[in-house]
């Protein structure tokens, strides 16, 4: 999942998590699932940027 600008994403703006991201100065993010060789998800790697559109 990629969110180029948290401040204008309609789903995140309505959710407490989106407001928390903005409060922490996180304006853009990418989430990458971490999977096992058999395809089971074991976690998520999330990268945050302070500038939108990154």
């Amino acid at each position: 999942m990629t969110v180029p600008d948290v401040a204008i994403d309609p789903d995140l703006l309505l959710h407490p998590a989106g407001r928390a991201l903005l409060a922490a100065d996180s304006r853009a993010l990418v989430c990458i699932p971490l999977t096992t060789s058999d395809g089971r998800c074991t976690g998520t790697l999330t990268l945050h940027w302070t500038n939108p559109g990154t």
Side-chain angles (χ1 to χ4, degrees), residues 5 15 23 35 44 48 52:
D5 193 346
H15 196 279
T35 57
T44 306
H48 296 260

Side-chain angles (χ1 to χ4, degrees), residues 12-34:
L12 280 176
L13 285 178
L14 298 175
H15 196 279
R19 292 189 294 274
L21 287 167
L22 289 173
D25 201 27
S26 180
R27 290 288 306 272
L29 59 100
V30 173
C31 300
I32 304 163
L34 303 174

